Amino acid sequence: NQSALKAINLSLDEVQGQPLEQTAWWTQNAESQQSLKRAMSKAAGGQVVRYDIETNTSDSAGVILDLMLSPMFTHDGKLAHLIISGADITERKKAEQESRQLTLLLEAQRQRLHNLLAHVPGIIWEGVGEPDGNQRVTHVNAYAEKMLGYSVAEWLNNGDIWRKIVHPEDWDSARIQAQALYESGQAGLVQFRCVTKSGRVIPVETHTALIKNQAGEVTSICGAILDISERQQSARALARYARELRRSNEELQQFAYVASHDLQEPLRMVTSYLQLLESRYSHQLDEDAHDFINYAVDGAARMKSLIHALLTYSRVETGKQEFASIEAENALKQALNNLHLVIEDNEAIITHDPLPCITADEVQVTQLFQNLIGNALKFRREAPPRIHVSVERQNGEWVFAVKDNGIGIEQQYLDRIFIIFQRLHSKAKYPGTGIGLSVCKKVVERHGGRIWAASEPGQGSTFYFAFPDAAA
Ligand code: ADP
């Protein structure tokens, strides 16, 4: 017919009367000759033969034909004709191929999802129906059995599985939470306790989400149930540690205060009796005895200053004021005022940037500036002290810096100096108790901030302290 001729650009004259083997239909495709031969002899034997064959037409290659060979017989049973017809089924085959590939892809995806879900350490489920009614679970991962003891089949075939796994005391609240989420159409969290098949109670957190069709109607609900016992345990442990820490801090505070307070009285007694000894029996004592008394008086004086230091330290907490919005510049001015004699004696030059308003305890900020500037004056070199106070805003904090041109601090001591009673020099060379920086640290930490130092030994030091900016 015309289609057969057109397929490989033949005219009727070229083929009419020719044996099939001499036509281009036969010669153009050597590969299919064998199968065609077999099919023809089978058809000649009386069968209708049908099979797919790949061939080329003049327009395109790889055309697939659904080939059918039908024998026609004369009335006395002799083979008269063989009718060969071929329908182009390339498109259909392509579609079939694509659909097969899609199916494979889908299966691979399904397997991947299945593997993923099987390894989540939580129950992944999907269900239909409102949480308030009889919600039926339509899918659940294998972990469900591991966590709660009910097999996947039990989950799927039990209309009241939720009744079984939700702790009876939490049933109402869990249902109300779940229903509220369902009605809001949002994803969210529901917390309750589960009871395992063997009766063990597990606190869980359930993340649920609604699955909607294109029209926006809810078709199902899915979720993940996670065991949060460990999290709860560590949260409880953390809270317990925090309580213990607070208590032991308070005790220590109390202890430092009481000890230093109560030590003052016996110390006063020691000092005054030593003085009495000296004044009354002076003439009976030899030179050594006088020296010994002087050493003892010196020791008592030193102990007195240490006790005072300890009291100051413990008062950072006990004598604290409420935080208020204050001008840091006022606190600095007050500190400079308190230090004016030392500043004059040292012929120091002290400058500062404009300072911001901060939320703090003004008395303590004054003390902070006073201690840092006091140190900058004390640990000076030959040259007159030059001290500059600056401030910068960084990541929601005010970072203050007190920079001096003094003796500096070796790198390895930069942390140690903030510990109570830690000093780097003898008291003869630089008087002090080693309390100043630990008070600074305590004050800064009470304000939720940090304190640290940087230094170039022999050049000077910079003490930084950062206060959180309440407005940030
Ligand atoms: P104190 O000043 O009573 O010794 P601090 O706690 O204020 O106690 O300081 C601890 C130590 O840190 C000091 O003894 C000193 O060695 C070192 N230090 C503090 N400030 C400076 C500074 N500005 N320059 C050099 N060293 C300093």
Side-chain angles (χ1 to χ4, degrees):
N1 67 359
Q2 279 306 318
S3 310
L5 292 171
K6 239 174 77 195
I8 48 175
N9 265 344
L10 293 173
S11 67
L12 192 57
D13 301 342
E14 289 172 280
V15 293
Q16 202 153 39
Q18 300 286 334
L20 179 63
E21 284 88 348
Q22 279 167 28
T23 64
W25 288 308
W26 184 263
T27 52
Q28 68 128 5
N29 192 347
E31 287 127 58
S32 56
Q33 285 171 7
Q34 287 308 321
S35 59
L36 200 53
K37 237 183 222 162
R38 270 197 306 276
M40 278 162 69
S41 61
K42 231 186 198 171
Q47 283 179 45
V48 174
V49 182
R50 190 172 176 183
Y51 70 106
D52 295 347
I53 186 170
E54 192 175 326
T55 183
N56 299 328
T57 63
S58 45
D59 293 339
S60 40
V63 173
I64 299 168
L65 294 180
D66 173 6
L67 205 66
M68 189 148 91
L69 294 88
S70 326
M72 300 281 285
F73 297 97
T74 57
H75 63 274
D76 51 357
K78 281 209 194 111
L79 180 69
H81 304 287
L82 213 52
I83 298 180
I84 305 182
S85 61
D88 183 349
I89 55 163
T90 319
E91 285 303 315
R92 200 183 81 207
K93 282 281 171 191
K94 231 161 61 194
E96 274 173 17
Q97 178 83 0
E98 270 169 16
S99 121
R100 239 194 326 275
Q101 266 169 359
L102 267 176
T103 314
L104 284 177
L105 201 72
L106 218 61
E107 176 54 21
Q109 299 271 39
R110 201 192 63 82
Q111 195 58 39
R112 221 175 60 213
L113 203 65
H114 178 83
N115 290 344
L116 260 172
L117 294 186
H119 290 99
V120 174
I123 300 176
I124 309 290
W125 61 274
E126 192 180 349
V128 287
E130 291 189 31
D132 223 9
N134 281 334
Q135 191 176 71
R136 200 167 53 77
V137 175
T138 52
H139 175 88
V140 72
N141 65 346
Y143 194 82
E145 181 167 3
K146 197 164 166 192
M147 187 165 141
L148 297 179
Y150 294 97
S151 69
V152 171
E154 282 173 296
W155 273 81
L156 301 184
N157 302 324
N158 249 317
D160 58 352
I161 186 72
W162 295 115
R163 274 270 179 206
K164 287 198 159 73
I165 65 161
V166 177
H167 194 292
E169 285 172 17
D170 296 353
W171 174 257
D172 285 336
S173 91
R175 218 192 42 201
I176 290 167
Q177 292 177 67
Q179 186 67 23
L181 276 181
Y182 189 85
E183 277 160 18
S184 74
Q186 305 287 322
L189 262 186
V190 181
Q191 281 195 339
F192 52 90
R193 285 166 301 166
C194 273
V195 185
T196 68
K197 200 172 183 179
S198 61
R200 201 159 57 84
V201 176
I202 305 178
V204 300
E205 191 172 82
T206 303
H207 301 250
T208 61
L210 300 179
I211 298 176
K212 296 175 185 168
N213 62 15
Q214 282 184 333
E217 297 151 350
V218 175
T219 53
S220 61
I221 178 164
C222 67
I225 307 177
L226 305 176
D227 179 344
I228 55 166
S229 359
E230 270 183 31
R231 203 169 78 198
Q232 280 196 348
Q233 266 163 19
S234 33
R236 269 199 294 271
L238 208 64
R240 200 171 55 240
Y241 290 142
R243 261 198 318 276
E244 277 168 17
L245 202 66
R246 202 165 36 241
R247 193 181 46 76
S248 92
N249 262 346
E250 277 164 10
E251 268 177 23
L252 212 63
Q253 203 76 51
Q254 198 81 11
F255 170 76
Y257 184 75
V258 170
S260 42
H261 197 263
D262 291 2
L263 279 174
Q264 290 188 109
E265 186 44 40
L267 184 65
R268 251 196 299 275
M269 206 145 107
V270 171
T271 318
S272 46
Y273 277 98
L274 280 172
Q275 280 160 353
L276 203 62
L277 198 65
E278 173 127 63
S279 62
R280 277 223 201 141
Y281 301 96
S282 174
H283 54 287
Q284 293 176 31
L285 299 174
D286 64 8
E287 208 171 314
D288 274 356
H290 281 296
D291 281 348
F292 295 164
I293 289 175
N294 281 340
Y295 291 147
V297 171
D298 267 0
R302 171 110 191 109
M303 190 158 166
K304 189 174 162 193
S305 62
L306 286 176
I307 287 171
H308 268 286
L310 209 54
L311 267 174
T312 315
Y313 185 73
S314 56
R315 277 196 191 117
V316 174
E317 283 297 326
T318 51
K320 63 193 174 191
Q321 307 258 323
E322 288 294 312
F323 291 170
S325 180
I326 62 149
E327 293 293 339
E329 211 152 312
N330 283 348
L332 175 67
K333 285 204 176 117
Q334 184 60 45
L336 294 178
N337 208 18
N338 297 346
L339 288 167
H340 82 274
L341 285 180
V342 203
I343 296 172
E344 277 162 27
D345 283 353
N346 282 284
E347 296 176 337
I349 300 170
I350 304 180
T351 50
H352 67 87
D353 288 352
L355 301 185
C357 187
I358 56 173
T359 305
D361 176 335
E362 185 160 354
V363 176
Q364 292 191 338
V365 177
T366 303
Q367 193 172 17
L368 186 60
F369 278 127
Q370 193 169 324
N371 287 2
L372 294 178
I373 294 170
N375 279 348
L377 293 166
K378 181 161 59 170
F379 299 101
R380 60 171 283 187
R381 284 181 292 146
E382 274 300 298
R386 292 194 64 105
I387 301 164
H388 183 71
V389 181
S390 60
V391 69
E392 241 182 72
R393 221 182 119 143
Q394 287 174 8
N395 307 326
E397 286 182 326
W398 286 114
V399 181
F400 292 83
V402 179
K403 183 175 167 55
D404 65 42
N405 60 341
I407 58 171
I409 305 158
E410 299 278 349
Q411 181 73 29
Q412 73 258 39
Y413 301 127
L414 286 177
D415 287 336
R416 213 173 84 185
I417 51 174
F418 292 99
I419 299 171
I420 189 166
F421 298 144
Q422 292 284 341
R423 317 192 63 237
L424 307 178
H425 308 279
S426 74
K427 62 177 187 301
K429 196 162 177 202
Y430 296 102
T433 52
I435 196 86
L437 288 181
S438 51
V439 167
C440 291
K441 183 164 190 278
K442 213 167 173 193
V443 164
V444 170
E445 283 174 357
R446 197 191 143 220
H447 287 80
R450 301 170 290 130
I451 186 167
W452 69 100
S455 176
E456 187 76 35
Q459 303 287 314
S461 319
T462 308
F463 282 80
Y464 297 94
F465 61 90
F467 268 34
D469 177 8

